Amino acid sequence: MAMSGVAAREIAGVPGAAKAASALDVRADFPIFARNPGGPGERALVYLDSGATSQKPAVVIEALAEHLRHHNANVHRGVYALAREADAAYDAARERVAAFVGANPRTTIFTKNATEAINLVAYSWGRAEVKPGDAVLITQMEHHANLVPWQVLCAERGASLRYLEVDEQGELSLEQLDAELARGDVKLVAFAHTSNVLGTINPVAEIATRARAAGAVSLIDGAQAVPQMPVDVAEIGADFYAWTGHKALGPTGIGVLHGRGELLEEMQPFLTGGGMIASVDFQRATWDELPYKFEAGTPPIAEAVGLGAAVEYLDGLGMENVRAHERALMEYMLERLGQVPGLRTVGPPASPSAERRGGLVSFTMEGIHPHDVAEMCARAGVCVRAGHHCAQPLMRRLGVAATARASVGVYNDRTDVDALIEALIQGREVFGL
Ligand SMILES: Cc1ncc(COP(=O)(O)O)c(C=O)c1O
């Protein structure tokens, strides 16, 4: 596999450089950075928006192209050699993706994205199990993907939707969780592994354990966590765990749902049609076995192959190394952001909580609208996101209309952070601050 791997790199004269000694040095694996590498007179691409979508290493791009060039056929239908190759590639991708997060391939379902994975549970499990008078418990930090499906479900079923609050540190309270569970009506607890706005890493195994003890089913939205840290879904022990390929160096168009086998067996299909049946007569049909029961129609075959290559690449780097790299980078970013006058970060504070924070930070700047912050950064070649980040209720809780957000990936280093800080300081000058 073509990759630069983990390289020891000293950053002379930079405070805390020792912590960055195991930094990843993999930018050359990502062709997009060759587009404008920052030669003389040229602005380097400073990509600090991996929370929205990650860039793709050459091995992923090549795996997709190789599959489409040489092995393309539909799956689970044909007997000819090409079809068998496509079957083998799709099945191998599922095994690789499942192994990456300690899951069983049989209970690993490919979807379109994390949003669809969560909707699958809301429709197939939720419509059958949530009754009038029941409650669904989510948190104030959820992305709309893990909020709107529960709103719609609760409205439809006459159930109540309740929220775990986010405190001033951007964290949840296990005491409030216990109090909510003690009310005895909670059917489901759904929560993010890592918040896409606050960066908070939640104690997911603990929440799932407490939910189970109270007789509630748990669902974790791991869209931001899987790309950033070692995740073992069996160890976490939730009933459902959803994530999305495009944030984890894979292609768009593929997401993943891991589910508890007994629950998936009992659930009715989400979508119906070809590919998910055992047999069909004029009036009724029976369903295929797991995981195919939940994969109606032609699945995202090339995308699965691409995601397989992505997780193989991440495995090659080592997720412990990915986490260490991003954590060190975030420590540096929080320290440098703290030097920008009038800038306020949200989420767990810089110190001592790098441990409780993933690879992103949202912030506001006094006197400059977040959209102007993003625009100023864009002019300096720095890609950051501004807006409500698909978390409007959380924006309300934080008392802001929007924030700017910088998020890191395996290919970022301190020079990217320095470019961001420079753009912010220059921006303040433009605004006469
Ligand atoms: C925490 C979180 N959950 C869910 C999603 C939705 O992912 P997708 O759009 O791939 O379904 C996102 C994407 O931004 C996210 O950050």
Side-chain angles (χ1 to χ4, degrees), residues 361-373:
V361 59
S362 295
F363 57 92
T364 54
M365 286 179 78
E366 210 173 357
I368 315 179
H369 191 281
H371 285 121
D372 291 328
V373 172

Side-chain angles (χ1 to χ4, degrees), residues 51-52 113-116 118 143 145 192 194 196 221 223-224 244 246-247:
N113 47 35
T115 305
E116 190 182 83
I118 295 168
H143 185 284
T194 299
N196 66 312
D221 171 1
Q224 294 291 343
T244 202
H246 67 96
K247 295 184 202 285

Side-chain angles (χ1 to χ4, degrees), residues 33 61 66 70 117 133 141 145 156 230 244 296 348 373 375 387 391 401 407:
F33 294 110
I61 299 165
E66 162 73 12
H70 298 295
M141 66 171 78
E156 210 179 292
T244 202
V373 172
E375 180 61 37
S407 49

Side-chain angles (χ1 to χ4, degrees), residues 70-93:
H70 298 295
H71 309 289
N72 180 55
N74 212 326
V75 290
H76 305 147
R77 285 162 173 80
V79 292
Y80 48 87
L82 198 57
R84 289 193 189 282
E85 284 168 29
D87 282 351
Y90 186 62
D91 294 345

Side-chain angles (χ1 to χ4, degrees), residues 71-127:
H71 309 289
N72 180 55
N74 212 326
V75 290
H76 305 147
R77 285 162 173 80
V79 292
Y80 48 87
L82 198 57
R84 289 193 189 282
E85 284 168 29
D87 282 351
Y90 186 62
D91 294 345
R94 192 192 311 274
E95 273 168 31
R96 202 166 282 154
V97 167
F100 179 62
V101 291
N104 184 337
R106 191 178 144 268
T107 54
T108 295
I109 297 154
F110 284 135
T111 61
K112 186 172 67 179
N113 47 35
T115 305
E116 190 182 83
I118 295 168
N119 272 278
L120 189 163
V121 178
Y123 278 88
S124 291
W125 178 87
R127 262 57 176 184

